[in-house]
Amino acid sequence: MAENRKAPKLPVEGKRNILITSALPYVNNVPHLGNIIGCVLSADVFARYCRLRGYNAIYICGTDEYGTATETKAMEENCSPKEICDKYYAIHKDVYNWFNISFDEFGRTSSPQQTEVCQAIFKKIYENKWLSENTMQQLYCDACERFLADRLVEGTCPTPGCEYDSARGDQCEKCGKLLNPTELKNPRCKFCQKSPRIRDTDHLFLELPLLKDRLEKYISEMSVVGGWSQNAIQTTNSWLREGLKPRCITRDLKWGVPVPHEKYSDKVSFSIEFCKIFVVFIYLFYNLCAQYWKVFYVWFDAPIGYVSITSCYTRDWEKWWKNPENVELYQFMGKDNVPFHTVMFPSTLLGTGENWTLMKTISVTEYLNYEAGKFSKSKGIGVFGNDAKDTNLPVEVWRYYLLTNRPEVSDTLFTWPDLQAKLNSELLNNLGNFINRVLSFIAKPAGQGYDSIIPSVPDDVSSNSHDLTKKLVDKVAAYIDQYIEAMEKVKLKQGLKTAMSISSEGNAYLQESEFWRLYKENRSLCSLVMKTAAGIVYLLGCLMEPFIPSFTLEVFKQLNLPVEIHVSLCHNKGDIDRVKRPWDIISAGHKIGTPKPLFRELKDEEVEFYRKKFAGSQADRIVRAEAEAENVAKQLKKTKVSDGTGKKKSSAKSSNEAKNKAAAEPDITITRLDIRVGLIKKAQKHPDAESLYVVKIDVGEEQTRTVVSGLVKYIPLDEMQNRKVCVLCNLKAATMRGIKSQAMVLTASNDDDTKVELVEPPSSAHVGERITFPGCEGNPDELLNPKKKVWETLQVDLHTNEELVAVLQKCSTHHISWHLQGFIHTLGIDKLDKHQALEFKKRKKRKFKKEKKTRLSPYNPVGRFIAFFICLKCTICFMCNLTCFHLHFDCVFCVSWSQIIIIFY
């Protein structure tokens, strides 16, 4: 992602100033190819085109981080919403960086700027009386003890003819209709699958009917001036025909922008001593008032993210967003986002009464489907951004295929054979073939070519005197005009097709001119042909830059020309007129670089490999990978070992030898395990198995050991880096999906293995140090005999005691005082007060069922209890009814992520 960290660009009087945004991708998953072509890639192409033309353009985007989907994902992964956002923001940024998306600013909606801008807009609308307060009925889950946000409710779509049985509470994924959760038939809670009940709750509404006249005036004018795509116009008109209704802008959530309204945000702040005395009263007060702690609904706050992210880019953001006379706003998105950008967001800005830059042009895509079905983030179907990155196909191939398949007017289909055909016939045989033929011939030594020097053309030879060249130049000039017309109207697919037509004309020009014959028979005319062809190469590098920028970099490298200077189609610089005279583009005597092929053929066996690899959902792929790994392990057990001479060891032994060996076999004790302290030096995903990590671990030897570990679904990759672990070093090596695993990392898990964590040695332990158990002495085996099941026999007795220390015995109790004491110590509190110490003592003595296993984790279940907190940022105290203890909480008032002190519990 080529982010511009130079001085931010501001609108310039007299220039064309273009503000470009793409729909903010949600951070609850990795973006798939449908997401990428639907918004960020399409907007990137247009932004690059604008820069190519010399327009003063900026491209703003970022991750949409607030709302129910984030909270849901956080619950699934047992972490905070902030941690989920941090994780997926980094993933999105990495994917877009690989795709060469040229954001001027790629921000986040969880920033302080978002809160500031969003609340300021709300206050203006509130002051202008465009808001109303109503009591609405919302689904409440008694089992989960919470109001259910739209996305936490699933049921049957009420739309006649649809009746999709997995429609969300906000929108049906099948028919696209926007819904309210109470409209669903047979609603169910997404968490517990139980039927929720309807309960009253107060919310704020944006009065769209009162803004109808202003909105319709804007839509009728701008849809024509801005040349809105037809699907955007149809969707918007459909909304207007059905009649605008007040839309709720608040939700009963914690993760979001707090509503700056006295009823919903001003809370009572109590002293610590007061709260200790009236703890039960405050707890009841918390539950009574929980319905009044609200945040903005994501549809209201997310589009405002464009503004807040621009404010992160420049303090003078208002020069872009409150300057409709000098700034044109272009927005890119998928069709399911249209009403939020043509109805909701403009209404919000109009309601402030301020002079906002409203959207001029909207470019909307239909759906890109995958093979036999739809791309789906929630179901894990399709090729995702990180999948494309992990293939051997270069980024220019992915960008080109997605853009030629861009669903501009109807749904399109991604298939692997189609990608193969586009690569082999269009990129390799057309574009790549033309450029390589031209530059390779020029690079040939004198007598065979031009020794890498652009030839000069004698005065008596010109394009007008050569019919073939004149015909080519006329066609190229027409294509350039068509290219510009298409791109100005955001017809990106047509622009790409036009550029490729110039390449086809170039190939035909070479073939008809028979330049190889002209070189021998008419050197002067051959020089004109090759100089013209070299100019076409230059032109193609410019025209293709918005679509496949890495290709342009390589072309200009082979031309030996700096991209920064030469890649330009500015009208006021005369670039357009110049490129219409291709024989004049590159000066005679210029020395080109070293030509080499730009693309490689994609073979049938590779296509079949990718089709199988990415078939089904991500969950299906994990199951297949694990099954394959299990089969490999079974095969390894049957494999006979060589003695190093190439001969297999004989299994025939005398009965005496067998008896002696049995007598010499040592007892199975913990001392036979070679468990050492290791340091993870590098961790990465297995190239051929999505469920496996490949980890390089230093265990105190000359070289690191490679360990293949199935921890992908339990521990994020960033948490696997540079940390100490316990490593079993004397297991027999096993090959897992083509990579030999030379050891095993020790982990601890809960009863049903739904949560797994690494066993960490003491921080003072040295890398390579052997881990021993008190009272057990002896040397480890050099290599454990897999037939004797030494590790399998011993591992069942490895547990954790009540201090969460690994021990060789079964443990029936556990507690959290060690973790809590350490947490309080980090806050500068030396010890617990008397009451707290007594409470911990009682909790420590609590007995649990013997069959319940313990685990090395700060999240041990300790039964339901009441915790009381004070936020270090806003100093407000509050209660929380918990079933498990976490070291950090988000403050329900200021939504800060500062540490929270435990005052009483």
Side-chain angles (χ1 to χ4, degrees):
M1 197 155 36
E3 294 183 357
N4 184 3
R5 290 305 172 189
K6 299 178 183 178
K9 289 179 280 188
L10 296 174
V12 178
E13 193 76 29
K15 290 194 70 172
R16 190 174 178 193
N17 304 294
I18 299 180
L19 173 59
I20 301 164
T21 72
S22 60
L24 307 182
Y26 214 82
V27 289
N28 64 331
N29 210 326
V30 181
H32 57 61
L33 298 185
N35 303 136
I36 292 170
I37 185 56
C39 50
V40 294
L41 180 55
S42 296
D44 178 64
V45 172
F46 187 69
R48 287 178 178 274
Y49 166 76
C50 290
R51 299 184 194 116
L52 187 69
R53 295 299 312 279
Y55 304 152
N56 185 39
I58 62 171
Y59 177 17
I60 300 296
C61 190
T63 46
D64 181 5
E65 302 192 352
Y66 283 140
T68 310
T70 303
E71 286 193 349
T72 305
K73 192 69 173 180
M75 291 178 183
E76 291 175 359
E77 299 195 14
N78 194 26
C79 62
S80 70
K82 179 64 164 58
E83 291 170 326
I84 280 291
C85 292
D86 290 343
K87 172 185 174 181
Y88 283 103
Y89 173 80
I91 292 173
H92 276 253
K93 195 169 184 179
D94 186 51
V95 168
Y96 302 143
N97 184 56
W98 187 80
F99 271 93
N100 289 329
I101 308 298
S102 59
F103 302 118
D104 287 274
E105 184 72 26
F106 185 74
R108 312 173 66 168
T109 60
S110 61
S111 67
Q113 290 89 341
Q114 173 74 359
T115 300
E116 180 182 351
V117 175
C118 193
Q119 290 183 344
I121 290 175
F122 165 80
K123 289 175 181 177
K124 284 287 185 181
I125 300 172
Y126 184 76
E127 291 169 2
N128 293 338
K129 304 185 184 306
W130 297 115
L131 295 177
S132 62
E133 183 179 18
N134 290 299
T135 298
M136 63 181 291
Q137 292 184 323
Q138 191 171 337
L139 295 177
Y140 183 87
C141 181
D142 290 305
C144 298
E145 296 182 347
R146 62 179 293 175
F147 281 105
L148 297 179
D150 299 352
R151 286 174 176 250
L152 298 184
V153 183
E154 292 181 343
T156 303
C157 178
T159 305
C162 178
E163 299 181 345
Y164 180 53
D165 63 358
S166 295
R168 296 195 312 258
D170 61 341
Q171 188 174 25
C172 176
E173 190 179 28
K174 182 179 179 181
C175 70
K177 185 176 178 61
L178 296 180
L179 302 169
N180 286 316
T182 53
E183 296 175 337
L184 290 174
K185 299 177 182 177
N186 304 316
R188 58 187 181 274
C189 173
K190 186 172 181 178
F191 293 119
C192 65
Q193 299 299 309
K194 293 184 178 179
S195 297
R197 65 183 175 91
I198 295 177
R199 177 172 163 179
D200 289 345
T201 179
D202 294 337
H203 282 291
L204 294 173
F205 289 75
L206 178 62
E207 288 292 338
L208 291 178
L210 300 180
L211 290 162
K212 180 181 178 182
D213 292 341
R214 298 186 186 187
L215 181 64
E216 287 185 339
K217 182 176 182 292
Y218 156 73
I219 292 172
S220 61
E221 292 178 359
M222 203 58 74
S223 61
V224 176
V225 174
W228 289 12
S229 56
Q230 197 59 37
N231 44 12
I233 294 174
Q234 291 172 352
T235 302
T236 304
N237 287 339
S238 174
W239 265 63
L240 295 177
R241 281 195 305 271
E242 290 179 7
L244 297 177
K245 302 175 183 177
R247 294 292 297 186
C248 182
I249 67 169
T250 56
R251 277 295 180 264
D252 295 294
L253 294 172
K254 289 192 300 180
W255 182 239
V257 175
V259 178
H261 186 284
E262 58 183 6
K263 180 176 180 178
Y264 302 125
S265 61
D266 288 349
K267 304 300 168 225
V268 181
S269 180
F270 302 95
S271 69
I272 294 172
E273 294 301 324
F274 181 83
C275 291
K276 284 188 175 183
I277 297 171
F278 295 101
V279 60
V280 175
F281 167 76
I282 298 171
Y283 171 64
L284 294 174
F285 176 78
Y286 171 89
N287 282 281
L288 180 64
C289 298
Q291 63 171 313
Y292 297 111
W293 302 345
K294 304 184 190 297
V295 299
F296 287 117
Y297 192 5
V298 68
W299 76 256
F300 178 82
D301 111 275
I304 296 173
Y306 302 130
V307 183
S308 71
I309 293 170
T310 309
S311 75
C312 295
Y313 172 68
T314 173
R315 294 179 180 178
D316 297 320
W317 60 270
E318 291 185 346
K319 292 183 179 180
W320 284 105
W321 281 100
K322 295 183 179 180
N323 189 4
E325 296 80 12
N326 295 308
V327 175
E328 303 170 53
L329 174 58
Y330 283 72
Q331 298 194 290
F332 292 78
M333 67 205 66
K335 64 180 179 181
D336 51 348
N337 273 318
V338 169
F340 302 111
H341 290 77
T342 61
V343 177
M344 310 282 198
F345 189 38
S347 297
T348 300
L349 298 182
L350 289 170
T352 65
E354 296 178 320
N355 193 30
W356 286 92
T357 302
L358 299 179
M359 177 181 64
K360 175 187 175 182
T361 299
I362 181 172
S363 179
V364 178
T365 58
E366 301 290 318
Y367 291 132
L368 174 68
N369 296 321
Y370 180 72
E371 294 283 347
K374 288 179 65 175
F375 275 95
S376 173
K377 284 199 299 183
S378 59
K379 298 177 182 178
I381 295 174
V383 179
F384 288 71
N386 53 343
D387 296 330
K389 180 181 174 183
D390 292 339
T391 64
N392 292 324
L393 300 175
V395 63
E396 57 265 26
V397 172
W398 287 105
R399 285 182 62 116
Y400 179 82
Y401 180 69
L402 290 175
L403 289 163
T404 58
N405 226 13
R406 185 173 185 254
E408 292 182 351
V409 295
S410 62
D411 292 354
T412 57
L413 185 64
F414 175 105
T415 68
W416 287 100
D418 187 42
L419 183 146
Q420 179 190 28
K422 292 284 198 303
L423 168 54
N424 293 347
S425 63
E426 297 178 15
L427 288 178
L428 178 62
N429 294 337
N430 180 5
L431 183 63
N433 178 64
F434 170 72
I435 293 173
N436 192 252
R437 288 181 74 186
V438 173
L439 299 186
S440 296
F441 187 79
I442 293 174
K444 287 183 178 182
Q448 300 177 28
Y450 293 94
D451 200 19
S452 298
I453 303 297
I454 298 296
S456 59
V457 181
D459 294 337
D460 60 337
V461 177
S462 69
S463 60
N464 291 328
S465 63
H466 186 231
D467 291 340
L468 199 58
T469 301
K470 186 177 184 301
K471 182 180 176 183
L472 171 71
V473 171
D474 290 341
K475 286 185 177 180
V476 167
Y479 280 132
I480 291 174
D481 291 337
Q482 293 172 24
Y483 172 89
I484 292 173
E485 182 183 4
M487 298 299 286
E488 290 291 337
K489 293 180 178 179
V490 202
K491 304 295 184 183
L492 306 184
K493 187 191 288 189
Q494 183 60 39
L496 178 55
K497 182 179 179 181
T498 302
M500 291 297 290
S501 296
I502 294 177
S503 176
S504 299
E505 293 295 338
N507 273 309
Y509 176 65
L510 292 181
Q511 202 64 26
E512 291 177 32
S513 67
E514 297 183 325
F515 64 91
W516 59 91
R517 182 180 58 80
L518 287 178
Y519 185 79
K520 298 176 181 178
E521 300 175 1
N522 190 340
R523 185 72 58 90
S524 297
L525 190 55
C526 183
S527 296
L528 172 65
V529 170
M530 297 315 298
K531 196 168 186 289
T532 301
I536 298 296
V537 170
Y538 179 105
L539 173 62
L540 286 170
C542 291
L543 297 180
M544 298 298 290
E545 196 279 338
F547 304 99
I548 45 178
S550 55
F551 159 84
T552 296
L553 288 174
E554 182 58 33
V555 168
F556 276 79
K557 180 182 176 182
Q558 295 186 25
L559 285 173
N560 193 26
L561 292 170
V563 175
E564 299 80 9
I565 299 174
H566 289 274
V567 178
S568 174
L569 289 177
C570 297
H571 185 77
N572 56 3
K573 291 182 181 179
D575 292 336
I576 302 298
D577 292 335
R578 184 168 59 91
V579 295
K580 289 182 178 180
R581 303 189 309 273
W583 66 90
D584 262 352
I585 294 178
I586 304 179
S587 301
H590 172 75
K591 185 171 184 178
I592 67 170
T594 304
K596 60 181 181 180
L598 293 163
F599 304 100
R600 71 167 186 86
E601 182 183 7
L602 183 61
K603 299 184 180 298
D604 292 342
E605 53 268 26
E606 293 178 275
V607 171
E608 189 60 28
F609 170 78
Y610 290 130
R611 287 188 69 179
K612 290 181 178 179
K613 181 175 181 178
F614 298 114
S617 67
Q618 289 176 316
D620 295 335
R621 298 169 202 169
I622 291 173
V623 171
R624 287 200 304 270
E626 290 175 346
E628 188 173 338
E630 187 176 342
N631 289 334
V632 170
K634 289 179 180 179
Q635 292 297 322
L636 284 171
K637 292 180 180 180
K638 301 176 181 179
T639 304
K640 294 184 178 180
V641 181
S642 171
D643 62 2
T645 64
K647 298 179 180 180
K648 294 180 180 178
K649 292 183 178 180
S650 173
S651 60
K653 291 182 176 65
S654 65
S655 59
N656 289 334
E657 287 177 320
K659 289 179 182 179
N660 291 338
K661 183 172 181 180
E665 184 71 31
D667 295 333
I668 296 180
T669 65
I670 196 68
T671 60
R672 296 180 63 180
L673 302 182
D674 184 9
I675 304 176
R676 299 186 218 164
V677 176
L679 177 65
I680 296 178
K681 291 293 190 178
K682 181 181 180 182
Q684 61 185 25
K685 291 280 191 72
H686 195 296
D688 296 319
E690 293 184 359
S691 62
L692 302 177
Y693 284 133
V694 178
V695 186
K696 298 288 185 181
I697 304 179
D698 180 3
V699 292
E701 300 171 339
E702 291 184 5
Q703 296 182 342
T704 59
R705 291 203 185 197
T706 299
V707 177
V708 180
S709 176
L711 296 174
V712 169
K713 64 180 179 180
Y714 302 109
I715 303 175
L717 183 59
D718 57 346
E719 294 182 15
M720 291 287 293
Q721 309 292 341
N722 197 34
R723 63 185 292 183
K724 288 184 178 179
V725 290
C726 297
V727 185
L728 181 58
C729 296
N730 58 343
L731 280 178
K732 184 178 178 182
T735 301
M736 305 293 287
R737 299 296 297 271
I739 297 178
K740 182 173 288 187
S741 183
Q742 300 167 318
M744 182 174 72
V745 177
L746 299 190
T747 61
S749 66
N750 59 355
D751 281 344
D752 56 4
D753 292 326
T754 57
K755 299 183 183 299
V756 177
E757 293 187 357
L758 293 169
V759 178
E760 292 188 337
S763 58
S764 59
H766 300 292
V767 174
E769 182 178 350
R770 189 185 171 208
I771 297 173
T772 59
F773 292 79
C776 301
E777 297 180 357
N779 296 322
D781 292 7
E782 183 176 346
L783 186 68
L784 293 177
N785 186 342
K787 293 183 178 180
K788 298 302 179 182
K789 306 289 185 183
V790 178
W791 163 247
E792 291 80 356
T793 302
L794 294 169
Q795 65 97 12
V796 294
D797 291 330
L798 287 172
H799 295 279
T800 60
N801 63 11
E802 59 185 12
E803 280 78 30
L804 300 179
V805 176
V807 293
L808 188 64
Q809 60 181 12
K810 292 184 178 179
C811 172
S812 60
T813 65
H814 60 280
H815 61 90
I816 63 171
S817 63
W818 184 82
H819 286 285
L820 184 58
Q821 187 68 55
F823 174 60
I824 292 177
H825 179 69
T826 64
L827 298 176
I829 304 175
D830 293 333
K831 59 183 179 181
L832 303 171
D833 64 30
K834 185 175 181 180
H835 183 90
Q836 290 170 318
L838 177 63
E839 192 70 18
F840 274 119
K841 189 174 182 181
K842 291 178 181 178
R843 201 165 293 285
K844 180 176 179 180
K845 291 181 178 180
R846 181 179 292 177
K847 300 294 183 182
F848 287 77
K849 295 180 180 180
K850 288 187 177 182
E851 62 270 16
K852 182 178 280 291
K853 294 182 181 179
T854 60
R855 58 189 284 261
L856 298 175
S857 168
Y859 306 112
N860 292 283
V862 293
R864 184 175 291 276
F865 64 95
I866 299 175
F868 182 50
F869 305 92
I870 181 171
C871 175
L872 295 181
K873 183 175 180 181
C874 66
T875 68
I876 296 177
C877 305
F878 60 96
M879 298 294 303
C880 192
N881 195 9
L882 305 173
T883 54
C884 60
F885 181 79
H886 295 256
L887 300 186
H888 296 267
F889 283 91
D890 58 307
C891 174
V892 296
F893 303 102
C894 65
V895 200
S896 71
W897 293 95
S898 54
Q899 290 178 323
I900 306 291
I901 299 179
I902 297 179
I903 301 300
F904 177 93
Y905 116 101

